[in-house]
Amino acid sequence: MGQKEKSAHVVTSAKKEHDKHESEHHELGFVRKYIFSQDHKVIGIQYGITSLLFLLFGFSLMMIMRWQLAYPGQEFPWKWLADFMGQANMPGGIMLPEFYNQLGAMHGTIMVFLGVVPLAVGAFGNYVVPLQIGTIDMAFPKLNMTSYWVYFLGGVTMLVSFAMPGGAANSGWTSYAPLSVIATTGQTVWLIGMVFLITSSLLGSINFIVTIIQLRVKGLTFMRLPFFVWAQFVTSFLLLLAFPPLEAAGVLQLMDRLAGTSFFLPSGLVVSGQPLAVSGGGSPLLWQHLFWFLAHPEVYVLILPAMGIVAEIIANNTRKPLWGYKSLVYSAIFLGFMSFIVWAHHMFLTGMGTTISTFFQTTTMIISIPSVIILTALLLSLWGGSIRFTTPMLFALAFLPMFAIGGLTGLPLGLAPPDIHLHDTYYVIGHFHYVVAPGTIFALFAGIYFWYPKVTGRKMNELLGKIHFWTSLVFINGVFMPMFIQGLAGVSRRLYDGGAQYAHAQGVLQWNEFMSTSAWLLGLAQIPFVINFFWSIRKGKKVEANHWDATTLDWACTTSPPLAHGNFKVVPEVHRGPYDYSHQGAQSDFLPQNQPGEA
Amino acid sequence: MEIPYTIHPRPDTGVYNAKLGVWLFLASEVMLFGALFSSYVLLRIGSDSWPHGYSILDWKIATFNTVVLISSSVTMVMSWASLMLKDFKKYKLYMGLTILCAFIFLAVKAFEYNTKFGHHLYPSTNTFLAIYFTITGLHGLHVIGGIFVNSYLWGPGSKMWKTQPERFTNRVEVAGLYWHFVDLVWIFLFPVLYLL
């Protein structure tokens, strides 16, 4: 609304007033400029920094859990950290099961809702999309600022929940009822936090869709959009339409917890030997349906922007057009559509019936087709290219096999019969972590290395980047590969002792120590990245505005474009598709989208 | 440079930014209420016994409320139409009537809730009442939101009519789209909860 105010203000005012308005722009105070900023670039950076911190925090929770998994019941080696967790959680440095559950639930919540999605959509989407479509800002800048701050509030709420009596939410990131309904106060705070996060994504997704539809510059037709923009576009629709049912579910669960209703509580529920004094008549399955109606599209929210980033980097570093651009676009759209009708493949073991299972395993097999098309198109794009093995390209290349492992291991889970064996085992954990961690998060690292020069005007150090890449690649596989072995042996997830007290787990228990060590080394492997990230802001090699010789419009504007609608000095006009590399007969090996003429 | 299409529609899409934005917002609202109605269906077919809405709730007073809300949608359109005809006084009148209707609706709703509480009927009493209070409560929150928006456009926000009439008319149009949606939800909600 506010931007409309400004724009109309300028349109209708006299020149004198216009100048005054302009000077006001330049005199924006520190707070308006960097904290409550309405500029998409600043908001993108805010999202980026906040979500990276949450990623680190969520990862730390897991590194603490991995101690308990590797050495169940043993005293935590760092006394100060055990003391910091408090006597209620780690008496004498030994982790209590209740605390383990909190860490598990919050690890999932933080990584998904506060880490990966805000980084992939909030940070990259905000910074890059308006630049790639050649516009000066998002369609609704005030709304954009609001989404960030509502997200921030959601994050703070989640952190505060650790200080509640009984600690944070401890019913898993899926918050299955009725367990979550009778859980400690932390769960209520979790639900309130989720309402904030849902509102934030809702505002953000509306903003992205309107921006992409309305603010494309002249000549930038839909089929000339960079694939990254397409990915963000489909993602926004998923966020827009899949999150509200979770909001509804959250409201219902809040009612169950606070107003004594029984939406998710069946009749005759007995808790700790006592019949629960509620009216009953509710359905625990209802929660799962509503939750997975969001959470399955959410998987594609996690993966699509990553695919977009990888597509940009692959086209740029192979110096040739993406193979099958149209197939990529149609696959992404089809993927987005299908993702709304596969949710119950998470629920084969709930007793919902074989007919429904048959339907959902069929749709699940169908949705694997567009994913495979996308991956194959990206893989074929490498064919015959003279590949530049830069750090972003290494991460993008690693994304392909890592995501492939994640995707292919998902097929047995999508079919009901093998899922009976594999459901809720470490196999599932391995599967989706391959998709999200060495898949999406690697793509996000690739994006950071790739767009860092655009944001700062300096390049991140290549050597540190390569150390970061190779060590991360080795250790991350060390963490997740053994999970398949344990899962196939039948070790359940969410076990406080990592399976130590189960006979069938004894043959694979030795992997726990290996995985934990890999996880801690993976933590250490991020140190070069952190150093590189901060060091390069001031000391990195200075580079030109179009450092990577890229074709899309984000590289046509200056480095770190000026705030207050200053992205482009002249509004660009688009004359060609997004990846016109190695055009026959052209002067250089790349033709920017805004370059007129045939070649 | 300023953001384009804030007032005038983009030629190839035919809408201005805020209008597209509000349509998308309403799409998400459909999903929100759709999920709640689906929950209603699932809970009802899964339960051993389910009371008829009219045996617990007062359908007569709710019919009155339905009339009130539909009237408010009509006055909302009239207020926008008045602006299109450059008749600001009539706009004030119709917008004022819209807000008045919204208050009447809420007052009746409050009376209904109060009667239920008086008879010791709470959300925790049974699943029917639980879903009744939840859906109508959430709808009520939407009505309150609408009152805030409309009152702003009736009061302080209407100053914009003097400086940027076109933009102000757009705002009323967008607020109207939202208001019709709130009305529409009730039109689904009323038969489902009160009559079935």
Side-chain angles (χ1 to χ4, degrees), chain A residues 45-60:
Chain A
I45 294 167
Q46 288 176 327
Y47 262 115
I49 305 273
T50 318
S51 54
L52 279 171
L53 288 173
F54 272 117
L55 277 181
L56 180 65
F57 181 67
F59 182 45
S60 308

Side-chain angles (χ1 to χ4, degrees), chain A residues 187-366:
Chain A
Q187 181 65 24
T188 304
V189 183
W190 185 89
L191 288 165
I192 294 168
M194 283 309 291
V195 170
F196 280 124
L197 295 175
I198 292 167
T199 311
S200 159
S201 343
L202 181 71
L203 300 179
S205 61
I206 292 174
N207 216 340
F208 277 110
I209 297 172
V210 174
T211 305
I212 294 170
I213 293 181
Q214 294 282 95
L215 303 188
R216 281 167 296 124
V217 286
K218 197 176 166 207
L220 190 59
T221 57
F222 272 102
M223 276 324 210
R224 281 178 176 176
L225 286 178
F227 185 65
F228 178 75
V229 177
W230 265 112
Q232 292 285 348
F233 190 58
V234 176
T235 302
S236 299
F237 271 102
L238 299 185
L239 287 174
L240 181 78
L241 300 176
F243 253 134
L246 184 65
E247 188 147 31
V251 169
L252 296 181
Q253 200 180 94
L254 271 176
M255 290 290 287
D256 271 7
R257 294 180 57 88
L258 301 176
T261 59
S262 303
F263 290 116
F264 304 126
L265 298 175
S267 303
L269 197 63
V270 177
V271 177
S272 311
Q274 296 289 321
L276 204 62
V278 291
S279 68
S283 160
L285 261 191
L286 177 61
W287 168 266
Q288 296 193 25
H289 279 296
L290 292 172
F291 180 83
W292 287 114
F293 188 85
L294 154 88
H296 200 81
E298 180 80 5
V299 172
Y300 295 93
V301 169
L302 296 169
I303 200 70
L304 272 169
M307 288 169 164
I309 292 170
V310 169
E312 295 300 305
I313 292 170
I314 284 185
N316 177 258
N317 284 288
T318 54
R319 316 305 296 161
K320 57 198 275 284
L322 278 182
W323 192 90
Y325 169 80
K326 279 190 179 167
S327 326
L328 281 169
V329 170
Y330 293 136
S331 299
I333 296 170
F334 185 60
L335 194 77
F337 174 76
M338 286 302 291
S339 71
F340 283 101
I341 45 172
V342 295
W343 79 87
H345 66 212
H346 296 270
M347 301 163 58
F348 287 145
L349 263 72
T350 56
M352 65 181 176
T354 47
T355 318
I356 301 180
S357 294
T358 310
F359 174 79
F360 281 101
Q361 72 177 6
T362 312
T363 54
T364 305
M365 289 305 112
I366 293 173

Side-chain angles (χ1 to χ4, degrees), chain A residues 1 3-10 12 21 25 135-141 202 206 209-210 213-216 237 240-241 244-245 247-248 251-252 255 259-263 279-283 286 289-290 293 565 568-571, chain B residues 1-10 12-22 24-25 27-29 31-32 35-36 38-40 42-43 46-48 123-127 130-134 138 160 163-164 167 170-171 174:
Chain A
M1 286 282 180
Q3 214 46 56
K4 276 168 69 180
E5 212 162 326
K6 268 186 211 153
S7 82
H9 178 68
V10 172
T12 55
H21 184 76
H25 260 323
T135 187
I136 49 178
D137 208 319
M138 298 286 276
F140 310 115
L202 181 71
I206 292 174
I209 297 172
V210 174
I213 293 181
Q214 294 282 95
L215 303 188
R216 281 167 296 124
F237 271 102
L240 181 78
L241 300 176
E247 188 147 31
V251 169
L252 296 181
M255 290 290 287
T261 59
S262 303
F263 290 116
S279 68
S283 160
L286 177 61
H289 279 296
L290 292 172
F293 188 85
H565 307 327
F568 296 90
K569 288 207 182 77
V570 232
V571 178
Chain B
M1 276 193 272
E2 293 301 330
I3 293 167
Y5 314 118
T6 46
I7 301 177
H8 298 290
R10 179 178 161 122
D12 57 350
T13 61
V15 284
Y16 52 89
N17 297 346
K19 195 166 174 178
L20 181 59
V22 87
L24 291 168
F25 174 66
S28 84
E29 291 278 85
M31 295 303 287
L32 176 67
L36 289 170
S38 310
S39 305
Y40 166 88
L42 221 131
L43 288 169
S47 70
D48 303 326
S124 55
T125 308
N126 61 40
T127 311
I131 197 102
Y132 162 76
F133 278 109
T134 308
L138 204 63
M160 191 190 267
T163 50
Q164 305 165 55
R167 190 155 167 238
N170 283 351
R171 281 193 169 181
V174 164

Side-chain angles (χ1 to χ4, degrees), chain B residues 8 55 95 119 144 154 167 179 185-186:
Chain B
H8 298 290
S55 66
M95 190 55 123
H119 294 141
I144 293 172
W154 183 80
R167 190 155 167 238
W179 190 250
V185 170
W186 177 259

